[in-house]
RNA sequence: GGCGGCAUAGCCAAGUGGUAAGGCAGAGGUCUGCAAAACCUCUAUUCCCCAGUUCGAAUCUGGGUGCCGCCUCCA
């Protein structure tokens, strides 16, 4: 089996063959940091983070670059509204971004470059484009000349003539071609500006990704990702800039694009006002639940959002967590009759199937939804085994635990143990209290004082602690 | 107008030629003092509609309907 990836460039699945064996260079367009990210922004974070994890899990050394756009019109506008320095505002939201990303268990990229730190690279690239007659200067602005790059449109499948017919934008008369786009924008009074050969100004939106991807990954690399709405014009323009500049074909070998999150079947976007910030959602649901929800649908499919979907995701994830907990308990108890040989074989087979099925699913264009279903299959067998065998089977139980944990980790859904001192102390305290409560309740039950036993159980449920009576005793867990 | 995508049970969602995964919800049962969790059984003769190709189609072709996205900043 080998990994196959759907390539937007060509619109079909292709076998993944990196340019350099064993290594993957991956660039994903990151956020423009002028506000908190919303759920729609969260999808690519989780999706591409999961791809990266999978690539690493099958042995690739991945260089993952994700940029921050910290120089941009929206940032400038927002800063002016608030009377704040634009770069300071951008920096603040970069901080907020990391808080959200961590909640979603998104690992920091290998390199997270900012536009503000790459003006020199950007200016150099623009100079080269001007020199090669792919760009021209008008009153301190620099534009990329579309007609100078004949394959323009190859990613989005657009013909320039078609677009002119449907253009809804007022065309700047100074442009040589209506679709020409800005590489450098001259600063208006009061706007932040950087010196350049064409006068003070700032980079256009698209050039940053061309300059930074080349700096960190080279003129040609493996994977370039982003949301579907970036296909045109952003990625199309990136291709034009990079390939016109370098003369090399296919700056990225594989172009991957995630589908959109909709609300009531409508695209979630700030202009429609129908968005939820991730912060709002994280106030109601844990980050791992949001992550699970995002991975339970294939990354290219549209995903409709509402609260009930997250509640469903929470219950689904809970099922996996319960199963994993049963595994831990079975390994801890180790008492009683040895497990039956058939049962051991059945579980081992299930472990092997989960591993193979998971990999096959991920190999097919990162089919996380199918991969997750294999975890449920494994969970089912774990539940059957632990219910029917009291003790024994350490070897297979350990194998099940290892496989389960490893696969969950690829999805970024492994259980996280909090290891700061304060939490540790509180955990100890809680455990002490619960041991006492459990003992008192056990005494009540022994006396068949069901009223007291039930009052304790119901009362604890109110505060978020669930009690379950089992033949081996009562266990409790935070809901 | 151009380009692209989607339509599978009550809900979510896999599935590109071989006879419908998985989750949630629901029904019945086992277990339990009662619960919870877990387990067992059941819940789409059918995949938007029509026609065609094929021994065979949710999967391919043609037509139709509905919905969505991009073409302007947007993940």
């Amino acid at each position: 089996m080998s990994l196959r990836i759907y390539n937007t460039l060509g619109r079909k699945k292709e076998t993944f063959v990196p340019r350099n064996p064993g290594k993957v260079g991956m660039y994903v367009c990151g956020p423009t940091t002028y506000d908190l990210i919303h759920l729609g922004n969260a999808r690519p974070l989780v999706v591409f983070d999961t791809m990266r994890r999978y690539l690493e899990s099958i042995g690739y050394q991945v260089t993952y670059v994700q940029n921050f756009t910290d120089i941009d019109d929206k940032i400038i506008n927002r800063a002016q509204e608030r009377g704040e320095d634009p770069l300071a505002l951008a920096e603040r939201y970069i901080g907020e971004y990391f808080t959200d990303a961590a909640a979603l268990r998104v690992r920091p990229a290998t390199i997270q470059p900012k536009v503000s730190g790459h003006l020199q690279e950007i200016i150099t690239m623009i100079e080269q484009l001007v020199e090669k007659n792919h760009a021209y200067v008008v009153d301190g602005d620099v534009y990329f000349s579309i007609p100078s790059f004949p394959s323009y449109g190859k990613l989005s499948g657009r013909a320039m003539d078609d677009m002119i017919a449907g253009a809804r934008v007022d065309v700047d008369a100074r442009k040589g071609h209506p679709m020409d786009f800005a590489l450098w924008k001259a600063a208006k009074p009061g706007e932040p500006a950087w010196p350049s050969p064409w006068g003070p100004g700032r980079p256009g939106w698209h050039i940053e990704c061309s300059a930074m991807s080349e700096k960190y990954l080279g003129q040609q690399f493996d994977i370039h990702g982003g949301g579907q709405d970036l296909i045109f014009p952003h990625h199309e323009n990136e291709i034009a800039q990079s390939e016109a500049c370098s003369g090399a074909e296919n700056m990225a070998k594989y172009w991957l694009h995630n589908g959109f999150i909709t609300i009531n079947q409508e695209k979630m976007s700030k202009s429609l006002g129908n968005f939820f910030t991730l912060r709002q959602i994280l106030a109601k649901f844990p980050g791992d639940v949001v992550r699970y929800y995002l991975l339970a649908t294939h990354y290219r499919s549209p995903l409709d959002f509402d609260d009930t979907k997250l509640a469903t995701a929470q219950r689904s994830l809970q099922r996996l967590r319960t199963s994993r907990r049963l595994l831990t308990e079975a390994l801890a108890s180790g008492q009683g009759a040895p497990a039956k040989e058939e049962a051991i074989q059945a579980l081992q087979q299930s472990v092997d199937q989960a591993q193979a099925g998971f990999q096959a699913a991920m190999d097919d264009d990162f089919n996380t939804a199918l991969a997750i279903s294999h975890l449920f299959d494994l969970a089912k067998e774990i539940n059957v085994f632990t219910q029917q065998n009291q003790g024994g089977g350490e070897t297979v139980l350990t194998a099940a635990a290892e496989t389960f944990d490893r696969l969950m980790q690829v999805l970024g859904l492994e259980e996280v143990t909090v290891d700061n001192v304060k939490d540790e102390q509180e955990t100890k305290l809680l455990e002490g209290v619960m041991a006492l409560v459990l003992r008192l309740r056990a005494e009540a039950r022994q006396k068949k004082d069901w009223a007291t036993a039930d009052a304790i159980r119901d009362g604890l449920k109110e505060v978020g602690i669930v009690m379950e009576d089992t033949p081996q005793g009562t266990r409790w867990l935070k809901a």
Side-chain angles (χ1 to χ4, degrees):
Chain A
M1 280 302 288
S2 58
L3 175 61
R4 288 172 63 76
I5 295 181
Y6 181 88
N7 194 349
T8 304
L9 189 63
R11 299 185 192 282
K12 60 178 190 300
K13 286 184 195 172
E14 297 174 16
T15 300
F16 178 69
V17 182
R19 290 180 188 278
N20 301 303
K23 295 186 179 175
V24 177
M26 186 170 173
Y27 187 98
V28 176
C29 292
T32 300
T33 50
Y34 68 107
D35 204 346
L36 294 172
I37 62 167
H38 62 67
L39 183 63
N41 299 311
R43 192 176 192 185
L45 295 187
V46 168
V47 158
F48 290 109
D49 176 68
T50 303
M51 291 179 188
R52 174 210 195 170
R53 286 167 181 257
Y54 182 66
L55 288 166
E56 288 179 347
S57 81
I58 57 177
Y60 288 111
Q61 185 188 322
V62 180
T63 303
Y64 183 43
V65 181
Q66 187 204 37
N67 69 297
F68 286 111
T69 301
D70 64 347
I71 298 175
D72 171 87
D73 291 2
K74 289 192 292 291
I75 294 171
I76 293 167
N77 292 339
R78 181 65 55 91
Q80 272 173 354
E81 284 167 21
R82 298 191 183 173
E84 192 175 356
D85 175 65
L87 280 178
L89 180 135
E91 195 59 34
R92 197 151 49 77
Y93 281 115
I94 287 174
E96 301 288 4
Y97 164 88
F98 279 117
T99 302
D100 285 334
L104 292 173
R105 299 157 175 230
V106 171
R107 291 166 48 204
T110 317
I111 302 162
Q112 311 219 225
K114 301 169 194 170
V115 180
S116 58
H118 295 79
L119 269 299
Q120 191 49 57
E121 288 85 346
I122 289 168
I123 288 169
T124 301
M125 185 174 263
I126 297 174
E127 283 181 314
Q128 288 170 351
L129 286 168
V130 172
E131 203 171 296
K132 294 183 180 180
N133 287 320
H134 286 295
Y136 56 94
V137 184
V138 184
D139 305 332
D141 290 337
V142 185
Y143 290 99
F144 185 90
S145 166
I146 300 286
S148 78
F149 188 71
S151 66
Y152 190 81
K154 69 179 176 182
L155 180 69
S156 55
R158 289 159 206 274
M160 280 177 279
D161 295 344
D162 295 337
M163 287 186 292
I164 297 163
R168 283 187 266 157
V169 205
D170 291 335
V171 175
D172 187 332
R174 301 174 310 160
K175 287 192 196 175
H177 185 281
M179 296 305 294
D180 288 354
F181 58 92
L183 297 172
W184 188 263
K185 300 160 102 163
K188 297 190 194 79
E191 287 181 346
W194 286 261
S196 83
W198 318 284
R202 62 180 183 278
W205 173 39
H206 315 291
I207 192 71
E208 60 183 71
C209 290
S210 288
M212 294 191 286
S213 66
E214 179 180 328
K215 175 171 182 181
Y216 295 108
L217 297 172
Q219 291 181 340
Q220 294 174 304
F221 53 96
D222 300 300
I223 294 174
H224 193 127
Q228 274 174 355
D229 57 347
L230 295 183
I231 294 172
F232 191 90
H234 185 55
H235 289 165
E236 196 71 71
N237 291 354
E238 266 186 64
I239 289 174
Q241 293 161 342
S242 293
E243 297 180 10
C245 188
S246 70
E249 262 190 66
N250 293 348
M251 65 177 294
K253 196 168 177 186
Y254 305 93
W255 288 84
L256 278 58
H257 295 94
N258 62 275
F260 272 79
I261 291 187
T262 58
I263 292 182
N264 298 324
Q265 316 297 330
E266 265 192 333
K267 175 179 171 175
M268 176 186 291
S269 78
K270 297 199 172 173
S271 53
L272 287 171
N274 63 345
F275 66 94
F276 292 89
T277 63
L278 189 58
R279 251 356 122 71
Q280 289 174 293
I281 291 164
L282 289 173
K284 292 188 197 169
F285 295 94
D288 60 343
V289 168
V290 179
R291 183 168 180 121
Y292 174 94
Y293 159 76
L294 292 171
L295 293 178
T297 298
H298 185 85
Y299 76 92
R300 282 190 286 114
S301 301
L303 215 192
D304 199 54
F305 172 81
D306 63 61
D307 271 13
T308 67
K309 307 251 167 80
L310 280 179
T312 297
Q314 189 159 34
R315 283 190 285 270
S316 302
L317 183 57
Q318 192 57 52
R319 179 174 165 81
L320 294 176
R321 297 261 185 262
T322 298
S323 189
R324 183 61 184 80
R325 198 184 76 224
L326 291 172
L327 212 43
T328 301
E329 287 174 6
L331 277 166
S333 74
Q335 302 285 321
K340 293 193 193 76
E341 190 53 39
E342 317 85 89
I344 290 174
Q345 281 177 7
L347 183 54
Q348 183 60 51
Q349 195 183 357
S350 193
V351 169
D352 296 341
Q353 278 173 359
Q355 167 62 43
F358 185 95
Q359 176 144 355
M362 292 299 280
D363 272 347
D364 185 12
D365 194 30
F366 306 104
N367 193 334
T368 51
L370 186 57
I372 287 171
S373 78
H374 290 289
L375 278 162
F376 278 104
D377 291 340
L378 177 58
K380 167 67 128 315
E381 293 307 318
I382 289 169
N383 294 344
V384 168
F385 185 92
T386 55
Q387 187 160 69
Q388 294 180 351
N389 298 277
Q390 312 299 332
E394 281 82 5
T395 308
V396 73
L397 286 170
T398 303
E402 279 174 3
T403 298
F404 190 92
D405 291 346
R406 191 175 64 247
L407 300 184
M408 286 292 269
Q409 198 157 8
V410 171
L411 298 174
L413 293 173
E414 73 279 12
E415 293 204 68
V416 196
T417 47
V418 186
D419 60 352
N420 66 65
V421 180
K422 187 164 172 286
D423 283 1
E424 207 173 289
Q425 283 171 344
E426 289 194 353
T427 300
K428 278 202 146 153
L429 183 68
L430 181 62
E431 279 171 357
V433 171
M434 285 306 298
L436 176 66
V437 171
L438 245 51
R439 205 181 75 221
L440 292 174
R441 181 162 174 275
E443 285 172 14
R445 291 184 71 209
Q446 208 143 44
K447 285 184 270 185
K448 298 199 190 298
D449 179 1
W450 309 126
T452 301
D454 290 351
I456 291 172
R457 190 174 60 197
D458 295 346
L460 284 177
K461 194 175 181 188
E462 294 279 309
V463 297
I465 291 176
V466 176
M467 290 184 124
E468 299 176 355
D469 297 320
T470 75
Q472 288 78 42
T474 300
R475 64 166 161 245
W476 66 274
L477 60 143
K478 291 193 239 182

